[in-house]
Amino acid sequence: MFKETIFSKIIRREILADIVYQDELITGFRDISPKAPIHILIVPNILIPTLNDVTIVHQQILGHMLIIASKIAYKEKISKNGYRLIINCNEHGAQEIYHLHIHLLGGQRLGPMLTTLKNK
Ligand code: DGP
């Protein structure tokens, strides 16, 4: 089956992380290497490696991740000014940890979503 990552250990609280939210479906914790004043990762408690591995059975979890992302943003006081959600997938998406996660980024004006398209 799928190979566990460090995120499973964080979810089970076997290693320390700054967990800001947890319920029976998902966990939210602060990124170890923040790219913005607020940088929280929202992950399913079950191991789904990438967005490519998502099926209809995960519909509730994925919807829940988005709803909770907005609730965490509110709690972190970044709702009004705004924030960004990112899901990286596989190599071209620069995914490092193969446990599906949403990055919630905010707390300052973020730059452009991507840099200019590189010439071939
Ligand atoms: P991605 O490139 O989308 O797979 O992002 C993975 C993120 O996970 C990256 O921003 C750094 C973060 N990260 C990696 N290892 C740890 C860890 O052990 N603890 C925490 N809190 N975050 C981690």
Side-chain angles (χ1 to χ4, degrees), residues 22-39:
Q22 190 164 48
D23 64 23
E24 68 282 7
L25 293 180
I26 67 172
T27 300
F29 54 92
R30 292 189 199 279
D31 195 292
I32 204 166
S33 167
K35 308 295 187 302
I38 305 293
H39 187 172

Side-chain angles (χ1 to χ4, degrees), residues 49-111:
T50 80
L51 199 61
N52 290 339
D53 301 302
V54 162
T55 71
I56 199 76
V57 303
H58 303 120
Q59 192 167 351
Q60 187 195 1
I61 295 175
L62 264 78
H64 192 55
M65 285 168 75
L66 285 177
I67 291 165
I68 295 303
S70 85
K71 290 199 186 306
I72 294 172
Y74 180 79
K75 207 163 163 237
E76 296 287 326
K77 301 184 170 49
I78 58 173
S79 294
K80 191 159 176 282
N81 285 334
Y83 52 89
R84 184 175 292 161
L85 301 181
I86 297 174
I87 297 176
N88 295 324
C89 181
N90 278 345
E91 200 184 332
H92 282 193
Q95 183 172 2
E96 286 171 22
I97 304 287
Y98 282 79
H99 185 132
L100 178 67
H101 49 281
I102 298 176
H103 294 259
L104 166 62
L105 296 145
Q108 68 181 31
R109 184 182 288 270
L110 301 170

